[in-house]
Amino acid sequence: MIRRPPRSTLSSSSAASDVYKRQEYTDCLVEPTDGSFTMAAEWATDQAVDGYVSVGGGSVIDHAKAANLYATYPADFMEYVNKPLGKARGFGKLRPHIACPTTCGTGSEGTGYAICDIADLGVKTALAGRNLRPDLAVIDPRTVRSLPGSVLASSGFDVLSHAVESFTARRFDSRTVSNPPNARPLNQGANPYSDMGCREALRIIGKYFERALRDPSDHEAREQMHWAATLAGTAMGNAGTALPHGMSYPVSGFVKNNGGFKPANGFEHSSAIIPHGYSVIVTAPAAARFTSYGSPEQHAEAAALLGADTRGCNVRDPVETGQVLSSHMVKMMRTAGDVPLSLGELGITKEHLPELVRGTIFQKRVLDVAPRPVTEEALVDCFTEAIKGYHSY
């Protein structure tokens, strides 16, 4: 984060290092909360920050977004939180923000979202607005060369989920036309622009993800995954994520509150935590079997781009397309290793279904992007399958 000194100290001959004073903020949480966002905003306000450079994964970038928002337009925290939890109050231009992602996953450098846990409620939600999107992103593939395997796997599955969910989402022209036009939500549904980014991201993942996991010295594979993250993130920031992300939020909250899982390596965290990419992918196969009824052809194409053998698959049959996509995702999960193949491995049982459904149904922002209506009964079915797991796939 950058603070400019008083104008009186500037002169036409000032060197760049004299013009800007750098202040570092390092208290970002791996999984942000409303409290950690508030702390970052208070720090930015105290330091009179007038520009932000975020260097890190999506959590770091999202802390900078939140600090920028609340320091620029101070308000009670829930004012900017998505409905129905918060008031989703609009806001104007923010301070300049340059995002420098160092993981190949979240794509936060290309979105207008900042994700956090609301600690008192035990649910995950988002701040959202076009002006949250960073002004500039610096994508340097050298930053992901040293990523530990678990971090690469988790972030890679987040990329995969962004691309699949945005590509198979409800179409943008199925929405009621907004009046005024700028009232249209950020997550407007699949559209020709987002489809381009999703297709290329899915192709890259199918070709390079396993290579990047297998050989840490394969710089080409990691560079391509970094590029896929930006492509999918930008597409997702335009189309939106859907059911797997909505289901992932209460899963993350459960693990944080109850323990039961810690990734093998790469995450410096003293308590139980399920990395975001894992919490999404562990629900994705079950979700795909449900959402395929809304966009079967897109599910089949996504599977093919990821490398699945779709010969003989009837692309108009939701059962077949849901099966081919979900089975291929499970295959990729097995290849990655250290990825839970069921919610049961996280200590989640059918007794937890009411709280999982309750935590998901709050996520109207993402559920509205699903290609078919998501009811509480449908969520029970999807969570039940995810609890049972995919060992037989």
Side-chain angles (χ1 to χ4, degrees):
M1 300 185 185
I2 299 171
R3 178 163 63 86
R4 193 197 315 261
R7 184 174 297 275
S8 60
T9 67
L10 303 179
S11 70
S12 59
S13 61
S14 294
S17 60
D18 295 327
V19 175
Y20 292 100
K21 181 179 179 181
R22 184 185 70 186
Q23 300 283 352
E24 292 186 2
Y25 183 79
T26 58
D27 292 330
C28 300
L29 295 185
V30 174
E31 293 287 335
T33 66
D34 52 340
S36 70
F37 274 2
T38 299
M39 286 178 57
E42 290 173 348
W43 180 89
T45 300
D46 291 343
Q47 297 295 323
V49 171
D50 64 2
Y52 298 77
V53 179
S54 53
V55 182
S59 296
V60 172
I61 297 171
D62 284 1
H63 276 88
K65 291 178 180 179
N68 196 356
L69 171 58
Y70 287 98
T72 306
Y73 301 105
D76 178 78
F77 188 81
M78 299 304 288
E79 284 290 317
Y80 299 118
V81 170
N82 276 335
K83 293 180 179 179
L85 292 176
K87 297 181 179 179
R89 174 176 152 188
F91 51 91
K93 291 288 187 181
L94 301 179
R95 303 287 190 179
H97 178 191
I98 301 172
C100 308
T102 60
T103 62
C104 44
T106 69
S108 184
E109 68 275 10
T111 78
Y113 307 117
I115 311 298
C116 72
D117 289 319
I118 305 297
D120 288 346
L121 300 177
V123 296
K124 221 179 187 76
T125 187
L127 314 173
R130 289 171 177 80
N131 291 315
L132 271 186
R133 184 180 289 113
D135 300 274
L136 182 69
V138 178
I139 314 301
D140 185 345
R142 294 173 298 181
T143 62
V144 299
R145 290 181 179 178
S146 60
L147 282 183
S150 286
V151 179
L152 180 66
S154 171
S155 58
F157 281 121
D158 198 19
V159 180
L160 186 156
S161 299
H162 289 160
V164 169
E165 291 173 52
S166 296
F167 188 62
T168 61
R170 65 182 292 187
R171 303 303 298 178
F172 76 102
D173 52 6
S174 69
R175 288 183 176 274
T176 302
V177 176
S178 300
N179 187 19
N182 63 3
R184 194 176 188 87
L186 277 177
N187 43 329
Q188 61 180 294
N191 58 80
Y193 175 79
S194 64
D195 285 350
M196 290 190 298
C198 291
R199 284 191 173 98
E200 181 62 4
L202 289 166
R203 184 195 69 81
I204 290 171
I205 295 164
K207 183 175 181 178
Y208 291 104
F209 190 19
E210 185 177 341
R211 275 178 50 181
L213 288 169
R214 186 174 60 243
D215 182 4
S217 67
D218 190 337
H219 298 325
E220 179 190 15
R222 291 192 170 212
E223 176 177 345
Q224 288 294 319
M225 287 299 297
H226 206 22
W227 175 226
T230 297
L231 286 170
T234 303
M236 174 264 293
N238 192 264
T241 52
L243 183 54
H245 269 74
M247 294 174 67
S248 79
Y249 295 152
V251 170
S252 296
F254 176 90
V255 173
K256 181 177 290 186
N257 295 330
N258 297 279
F261 183 81
K262 289 187 72 174
N265 64 76
F267 290 88
E268 297 178 3
H269 212 274
S270 59
S271 58
I273 181 176
I274 181 167
H276 174 63
Y278 285 2
S279 68
V280 175
I281 200 63
V282 75
T283 67
R289 290 189 171 207
F290 170 79
T291 55
S292 61
Y293 283 81
S295 54
E297 294 183 30
Q298 286 78 11
H299 281 68
E301 185 176 354
L305 288 165
L306 287 171
D309 184 356
T310 58
R311 291 174 297 179
C313 175
N314 180 352
V315 299
R316 292 182 175 83
D317 185 331
V319 175
E320 291 188 27
T321 58
Q323 173 65 34
V324 72
L325 178 57
S326 61
S327 294
H328 193 71
M329 287 193 287
V330 172
K331 178 183 177 181
M332 297 177 74
M333 292 161 70
R334 286 197 177 99
T335 299
D338 188 39
V339 183
L341 291 177
S342 72
L343 291 180
E345 295 175 39
L346 308 179
I348 296 175
T349 69
K350 289 184 179 180
E351 294 179 356
H352 301 113
L353 283 171
E355 65 184 272
L356 294 173
V357 171
R358 184 171 59 252
T360 305
I361 212 72
F362 273 127
Q363 313 301 329
K364 180 176 171 58
R365 172 181 64 90
V366 294
L367 297 185
D368 281 352
V369 182
R372 60 182 297 202
V374 180
T375 63
E376 293 190 16
E377 292 76 14
L379 289 174
V380 168
D381 291 342
C382 289
F383 275 119
T384 298
E385 183 173 352
I387 290 169
K388 180 176 69 173
Y390 317 116
H391 297 280
S392 61
Y393 277 45

